[in-house]
Amino acid sequence: KTNSKKMDQHTPAQQIRDTRFPDEADEETRLEANQIEQAIAILTTDPSRAAHANQFLLNFQFSSSAWPVALYLLRTPIHTIQNQHELGPYIKTFAATMIKNKSQNGDLVQISHNQRTAFLVTLLRLLPNLDQSSSACVAQAAVKVLVQQSEERGQGPCTYLSTIIEPSPILSRVFSLLPEEIDRSAILSVQRRTDFKQDLAKHVPHLLHLLEKSLFDGQHILPALAALQLWAESGIAITIEVINERQGLYQALLRALVDPQLSQPTAEALIEVIPINHEKAPIEPFRPLLSALHSLSNNNQLMGVTKSDPSNAVATVISFCRLVVRVCVC
């Protein structure tokens, strides 16, 4: 049974401690993680004790112990969790949500400055091993920490990121969230936002390389396409001319355009890299795209794409229409 006395010991607190994030958790962290597992089990199996378990979980999220415990639960293979088939996914989701909420609610003050880089690296290394929902939560936490650490260190976020972890397509999940976080972060001045956007612009080749790798490897494609779309949408200079300089990437994007699973996000990304007013732009960069759109129209490929994914058919057709209009307004 869950130890009720131990359950009551965690109350909301904003204390700074030298929280550490080693690869192996200490005994205290493992015991607290076991309490979390038991509390979640009670929520789903024992209505008479559910209110108490829920209050424990709510209080625990405010404690500084929540950081290492959440990371431990996210790193723990699901088959080692008690009642893994029933509770494993819930425990992973709870831990990832707790990380996201604490990062967004100002609880980073509970982590000493000299440990925040280690915490960020741990989050980034977790991303490839999580399901889509948990990965999204952890990525949101990572980008929040990344912007804060970049501000404190006086470095652009991509520049700082390149000093702490090797490039990987999984970073596209973080890159896709960076423009919005830079625009919305309350800790950044107007000048710092400008500086950070300039840092993104300097790392466009890096982003395009990751996108090309994702398209060829077949991994992390959707976040990579989202990153391309959102960087261009936020004013970063990624244009069709820039894409045309990387023929491997351009051809991969055109292939994705006729892939039922990728056509709609690919069309949306391509829309953003075509300037609204491109009347005086050279025609050459547009030729491959015009040819692909013409082929789609003449060979009824678009019909095939929408039939393959009826649930997304309307959105796909709308995206293709927007893309055609954007290309042809000249």
Side-chain angles (χ1 to χ4, degrees):
K1 292 184 178 180
T2 305
N3 187 319
S4 298
K5 184 176 181 181
K6 284 188 176 182
M7 264 192 167
D8 289 332
Q9 72 184 7
H10 291 290
T11 55
Q14 287 277 348
Q15 66 182 71
I16 299 176
R17 79 175 200 180
D18 194 21
T19 306
R20 297 190 179 277
F21 305 101
D23 291 334
E24 296 294 332
D26 57 27
E27 183 64 22
E28 181 182 0
T29 296
R30 287 194 291 271
L31 288 173
E32 289 176 318
N34 183 253
Q35 288 182 309
I36 295 296
E37 293 176 11
Q38 292 182 59
I40 293 175
I42 288 171
L43 281 178
T44 60
T45 61
D46 189 350
S48 66
R49 302 169 63 203
H52 181 64
N54 185 61
Q55 190 59 54
F56 165 73
L57 291 172
L58 289 174
N59 287 344
F60 185 83
Q61 292 183 68
F62 289 95
S63 73
S64 58
S65 297
W67 295 111
V69 168
L71 293 179
Y72 172 75
L73 290 171
L74 288 171
R75 283 191 297 220
T76 302
I78 204 165
H79 68 269
T80 66
I81 295 175
Q82 295 178 359
N83 303 314
Q84 69 264 22
H85 297 302
E86 299 174 9
L87 297 181
Y90 294 104
I91 290 169
K92 295 285 186 181
T93 299
F94 174 81
T97 303
M98 182 161 60
I99 287 283
K100 181 190 77 170
N101 290 343
K102 288 181 71 64
S103 298
Q104 294 179 338
N105 294 338
D107 286 357
L108 285 171
V109 297
Q110 294 173 334
I111 303 174
S112 63
H113 288 272
N114 65 336
Q115 284 297 310
R116 289 180 192 172
T117 295
F119 173 58
L120 175 58
V121 170
T122 301
L123 291 181
L124 295 172
R125 288 177 176 166
L126 279 171
L127 288 175
N129 304 316
L130 301 175
D131 62 29
Q132 186 171 350
S133 175
S134 296
S135 180
C137 288
V138 171
Q140 289 178 61
V143 78
K144 179 74 69 173
V145 180
L146 173 59
V147 168
Q148 182 164 323
Q149 284 294 93
S150 299
E151 163 65 12
E152 292 179 359
R153 292 170 178 267
Q155 291 180 289
C158 291
T159 298
Y160 172 56
L161 195 61
S162 68
T163 67
I164 63 172
I165 195 165
E166 291 295 318
S168 164
I170 192 63
L171 294 181
S172 299
R173 293 189 180 276
V174 174
F175 288 154
S176 67
L177 300 172
L178 262 176
E180 182 178 9
E181 182 62 29
I182 291 171
D183 287 336
R184 295 179 57 182
S185 177
I187 67 172
L188 299 180
S189 65
V190 173
Q191 182 58 51
R192 185 66 80 187
R193 292 184 210 280
T194 300
D195 294 341
F196 278 16
K197 288 289 184 71
Q198 290 174 349
D199 183 68
L200 265 60
K202 288 193 298 186
H203 286 81
V204 164
H206 186 127
L207 175 67
L208 296 181
H209 173 73
L210 292 184
L211 174 57
E212 185 172 355
K213 183 173 176 55
S214 292
L215 288 166
F216 278 102
D217 293 347
Q219 296 182 325
H220 315 299
I221 297 175
L222 292 179
L225 288 170
L228 174 64
Q229 176 187 344
L230 294 169
W231 279 37
E233 197 175 79
S234 70
I236 307 301
I238 309 176
T239 64
I240 193 71
E241 289 88 352
V242 174
I243 301 294
N244 188 55
E245 293 173 359
R246 304 178 72 107
Q247 281 299 306
L249 172 59
Y250 203 166
Q251 293 304 315
L253 286 169
L254 296 180
R255 287 193 295 272
L257 199 57
V258 298
D259 184 323
Q261 302 301 316
L262 302 174
S263 55
Q264 197 262 341
T266 302
E268 288 297 319
L270 287 170
I271 288 167
E272 295 303 326
V273 302
I274 300 173
I276 295 177
N277 300 312
H278 58 271
E279 295 90 341
K280 297 181 180 180
I283 190 63
E284 288 305 318
F286 292 89
R287 290 192 190 281
L289 180 55
L290 287 167
S291 177
L293 292 173
H294 186 265
S295 177
L296 277 168
S297 174
N298 283 358
N299 300 329
N300 291 321
Q301 284 182 286
L302 181 56
M303 186 70 70
V305 168
T306 54
K307 281 185 177 180
S308 299
D309 188 7
S311 63
N312 200 37
V314 173
T316 299
V317 170
I318 290 173
S319 294
F320 270 97
C321 290
R322 293 181 61 232
L323 178 58
V324 171
V325 169
R326 181 65 65 90
V327 171
C328 295
V329 174
C330 58

